[in-house]
Amino acid sequence: MKLFDLILNKLGFFDDDEEFSLDFSTLEGEDARSISDAVKGESLLRRDLNVHNELEREQYVRHICELMSGASDDVDLKKGDYQKVTDKLQDMEEIDLLPKADREELRTKARRIIDFEKKESQYKRPVSKISEAKYREIEQMEDEISDIIKRLKENEDYQTLVRRDMNLLEGEKAGLAYDRKENKKRIASSKSSFVICTVMAFLAYIVIVALRSMFYFDVKLPLIVTTGTLAICFTAIFVTYRDSVDSVRKLNKQINRAISLQNTAKIKYVNITNAIDYRYSKYGINSSHELEYIYEKYLEEKEARHHTENAVVQLEILRQELSNAIKMYRIKEPSQFVYQPGLLVFDEEMASKRHELVIERQKLRKSMDFEVYNLDAYKDEISNLVRQYPQYSKDILRIVEEYE
């Protein structure tokens, strides 16, 4: 996606031809609350931004462009995965629609692979700690499994970091709110003290005047003492009041900043959690350590299976025969049947795999919808800046063009 085209499109220069639309109807519980808080939060509000300051404006626009670029890249990557899953589901439909004789031919070739693998599994070897289905799954992605584990670990570490930042921001916000409450109490106390001092001074002056009028006392010293004391009290009250008001103003700004950072962290947390959940679902795991363990057991099993080269060669021959037969039809992803021949032999396995792919596609769609929603929000923010401050539109669009 081109960022500049997206902005021009949002401003009305092109028609919107986005393929995906936002649908959060499947979200429940914490995901829904997190997304709602993040979307309705202050991460894109310009409360503390001085738009007329060139440096602040440029930093802000670049920040939005970086977020937009990241969201756009994520959508493009996930579209590819989404299409692959769709192709696999369509391949299953094509298999179901094959004539009975053609389907039986494929089933026969697939059963040969299953029978060979079953015979091979009966060969005496070290105890395997990985299922046949999981072995075939890892075998398909052996070349990229190390990178997958590395990226998954990095994502988990990043998720932990963002969660820690959210907790720290929550604690900071609570501390600031407590300080603001205490300062507001001091403001109220200052007002009360002012009233009390005023009343007491008034009464003191009345007593002094009465003493002078009735008993002809010399009240010069009492007047000086009373006036001096009153001046000191009023000065202390004023200083306390002014300091408390300034503190409340500063604390309000700090609290707003903490809220903005917290909302940004929530969006990051939801994004990375969606990405991790998709990977967990795709590989049937609960952590990167589990995938690493499975990969280690796969390597052990692979080494054990290489006890005879003839067995490997024979298996590849059978798979090639099945692959050649499948390629005669409109099948886009024949590898899923070649490495999982049970899909062609057992209807329940085909149904189970179809269900897994449907769930996987739903998770991909959910993740893409969220990214598209974020992308629209970023586009709206840039568009609003251009509309509200046309005098800076050229500078803003120039920055956006740099992210082409």
Side-chain angles (χ1 to χ4, degrees):
M1 294 184 179
K2 297 292 186 180
L3 295 183
F4 190 63
D5 290 344
L6 289 175
I7 299 304
L8 292 179
N9 175 56
K10 200 65 185 177
L11 289 171
F13 291 102
F14 300 110
D15 293 330
D16 189 1
D17 58 352
E18 283 293 332
E19 181 179 351
F20 297 97
S21 60
L22 184 65
D23 179 11
F24 289 151
S25 59
T26 58
L27 293 178
E28 298 179 355
E30 189 63 29
D31 278 350
R33 288 192 295 273
S34 296
I35 291 175
S36 176
D37 290 344
V39 169
K40 295 179 181 178
E42 304 176 27
S43 60
L44 290 180
L45 294 182
R46 302 186 294 274
R47 174 175 296 182
D48 298 323
L49 172 66
N50 182 4
V51 180
H52 303 290
N53 183 290
E54 182 178 357
L55 179 59
E56 288 190 29
R57 184 177 66 251
E58 180 177 350
Q59 289 177 343
Y60 183 75
V61 172
R62 289 189 183 279
H63 173 65
I64 297 300
C65 287
E66 289 171 2
L67 292 175
M68 195 186 308
S69 179
S72 177
D73 292 343
D74 286 345
V75 169
D76 289 340
L77 289 174
K78 289 171 184 175
K79 278 184 180 180
D81 288 343
Y82 186 90
Q83 186 59 48
K84 287 183 180 180
V85 174
T86 300
D87 289 343
K88 289 181 179 181
L89 288 170
Q90 291 176 348
D91 288 345
M92 291 182 177
E93 295 297 331
E94 290 292 335
I95 293 295
D96 290 339
L97 295 175
L98 288 178
K100 184 176 181 180
D102 293 342
R103 178 72 182 272
E104 191 60 35
E105 179 184 356
L106 294 179
R107 184 171 294 180
T108 299
K109 294 182 182 299
R111 191 177 292 278
R112 289 175 185 171
I113 295 177
I114 294 174
D115 291 342
F116 180 86
E117 290 176 338
K118 182 178 180 180
K119 179 181 178 181
E120 180 66 15
S121 65
Q122 294 173 351
Y123 185 84
K124 291 184 179 181
R125 62 182 70 203
V127 178
S128 175
K129 296 183 180 181
I130 184 173
S131 67
E132 187 63 24
K134 185 62 69 174
Y135 179 89
R136 290 196 297 266
E137 179 182 347
I138 301 299
E139 186 179 36
Q140 294 182 66
M141 56 181 185
E142 181 178 3
D143 293 337
E144 57 182 358
I145 187 66
S146 296
D147 291 335
I148 291 173
I149 294 173
K150 179 180 178 181
R151 288 197 300 269
L152 190 54
K153 284 184 176 180
E154 290 174 351
N155 287 344
E156 288 173 339
D157 292 339
Y158 183 69
Q159 182 190 44
T160 301
L161 180 63
V162 173
R163 187 189 298 118
R164 186 193 66 183
D165 289 344
M166 290 172 61
N167 291 335
L168 290 175
L169 287 170
E170 183 62 31
E172 179 184 353
K173 187 174 69 174
L176 293 172
Y178 176 81
D179 291 341
R180 182 175 62 180
K181 182 179 179 181
E182 292 299 315
N183 277 279
K184 287 183 176 180
K185 287 182 178 179
R186 283 195 287 270
I187 290 173
S189 297
S190 297
K191 292 179 179 179
S192 299
S193 298
F194 176 80
V195 173
I196 293 172
C197 287
T198 301
V199 172
M200 294 299 294
F202 180 76
L203 294 176
Y205 281 124
I206 291 176
V207 172
I208 291 171
V209 171
L211 290 174
R212 180 181 179 184
S213 300
M214 296 174 63
F215 302 103
Y216 304 98
F217 284 173
D218 183 7
V219 294
K220 183 177 181 181
L221 181 60
L223 281 174
I224 293 174
V225 172
T226 301
T227 303
T229 303
L230 183 62
I232 293 172
C233 290
F234 280 174
T235 300
I237 292 171
F238 174 77
V239 171
T240 301
Y241 176 84
R242 185 187 61 185
D243 291 344
S244 297
V245 169
D246 290 342
S247 296
V248 168
R249 187 180 298 110
K250 292 178 181 178
L251 288 169
N252 282 335
K253 189 171 184 180
Q254 291 175 350
I255 289 174
N256 289 335
R257 178 179 175 276
I259 292 174
S260 179
L261 292 175
Q262 192 176 40
N263 287 330
T264 300
K266 285 181 180 179
I267 291 180
K268 292 180 180 179
Y269 183 79
V270 172
N271 280 337
I272 195 65
T273 299
N274 284 339
I276 292 174
D277 287 344
Y278 165 67
R279 292 294 179 182
Y280 285 174
S281 174
K282 183 175 182 179
Y283 304 123
I285 57 175
N286 295 310
S287 69
S288 60
H289 297 292
E290 183 177 350
L291 182 58
E292 189 173 27
Y293 174 82
I294 292 172
Y295 180 53
E296 291 175 357
K297 298 308 171 186
Y298 162 77
L299 293 177
E300 293 176 4
E301 179 67 6
K302 180 181 179 181
E303 183 178 355
R305 291 189 180 193
H306 285 172
H307 67 282
T308 171
E309 188 67 23
N310 290 334
V312 175
V313 172
Q314 184 61 33
L315 181 59
E316 288 303 314
I317 290 175
L318 293 175
R319 285 175 174 171
Q320 189 61 47
E321 290 178 355
L322 178 59
S323 177
N324 292 337
I326 291 176
K327 289 179 180 178
M328 296 175 61
Y329 309 104
R330 296 182 299 179
I331 303 300
K332 299 178 181 178
E333 295 286 341
S335 62
Q336 70 168 327
F337 301 106
V338 171
Y339 289 97
Q340 298 180 13
L343 298 175
L344 298 171
V345 177
F346 307 109
D347 293 338
E348 61 275 12
E349 187 170 336
M350 176 75 89
S352 176
K353 184 62 177 179
R354 181 182 282 111
H355 178 70
E356 290 179 9
L357 290 174
V358 169
I359 297 299
E360 183 178 340
R361 187 165 64 172
Q362 288 174 348
K363 288 182 175 293
L364 272 173
R365 184 57 178 265
K366 165 186 168 183
S367 181
M368 283 189 296
D369 284 342
F370 187 80
E371 293 288 4
V372 170
Y373 189 94
N374 284 338
L375 190 57
D376 287 340
Y378 304 144
K379 288 157 55 180
D380 287 338
E381 179 66 3
I382 295 295
S383 300
N384 289 336
L385 272 177
V386 172
R387 291 193 183 98
Q388 294 175 15
Y389 303 96
Q391 66 272 33
Y392 304 128
S393 60
K394 291 184 179 179
D395 292 338
I396 294 173
L397 293 178
R398 175 184 55 78
I399 295 173
V400 173
E401 284 183 314
E402 295 178 9
Y403 289 82
E404 286 289 289

